[in-house]
């Protein structure tokens, strides 16, 4: 009887994990939020006047759509039914950026998200400069 109860519990937990497994959009939302908070952190450290604040707000409003476009193309989303992950390719190796389980997406350090985005922007601008 205990074995049957244990088996039922495992099946129920696995079913809940499958039903609540986050999709790619959920991962994108959390990554976008992390990037937005990273920009806010940078702003808090560097804003010295109202003009600086306005400039950072403009940069933020331009950077977030770029982030979404860049990461949609660069993110490798994997659904393992009970959990999902996203990764980016960095110098030939894939780095996991987020893990989703039970309806929640957990990202790694915000600084890593910003660093990967900066690398992408540098690669893109380098490619455009090379083609001229």
């Amino acid at each position: 009887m205990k074995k049957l109860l244990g088996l039922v519990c495992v099946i129920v937990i696995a079913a809940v994990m499958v039903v609540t497994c986050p999709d790619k959009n959920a991962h994108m939302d959390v990554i976008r939020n992390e990037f937005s908070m990273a920009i806010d952190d940078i702003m808090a450290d560097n804003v010295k006047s109202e003009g600086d604040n306005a400039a950072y707000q403009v940069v933020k409003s331009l950077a977030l759509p770029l982030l979404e476009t860049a990461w949609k193309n660069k993110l490798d989303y994997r659904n393992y039914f009970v959990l999902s992950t996203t990764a980016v390719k960095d110098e030939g190796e894939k780095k996991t950026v987020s893990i989703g389980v039970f309806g929640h997406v957990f990202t790694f350090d915000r600084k890593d998200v910003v660093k990967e985005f900066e690398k992408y922007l540098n690669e893109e601008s380098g490619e455009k400069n090379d083609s001229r």
Side-chain angles (χ1 to χ4, degrees), residues 23-33 67-73 75 86 98 105:
D23 62 1
K24 185 175 184 177
N25 289 332
H27 284 266
M28 283 294 304
D29 289 344
V30 171
I31 291 168
R32 183 184 312 111
N33 187 46
L67 166 79
E68 188 168 353
T69 302
W71 282 79
K72 273 186 180 178
N73 296 330
L75 274 182
T86 57
S98 62
V105 177

Side-chain angles (χ1 to χ4, degrees), residues 110-124:
R110 174 180 314 158
K111 292 175 186 172
D112 289 339
V113 174
V114 174
K115 183 176 128 185
E116 292 300 324
F117 182 64
E118 286 173 345
K119 281 185 184 179
Y120 176 79
L121 288 178
N122 290 337
E123 289 171 6
E124 288 296 307

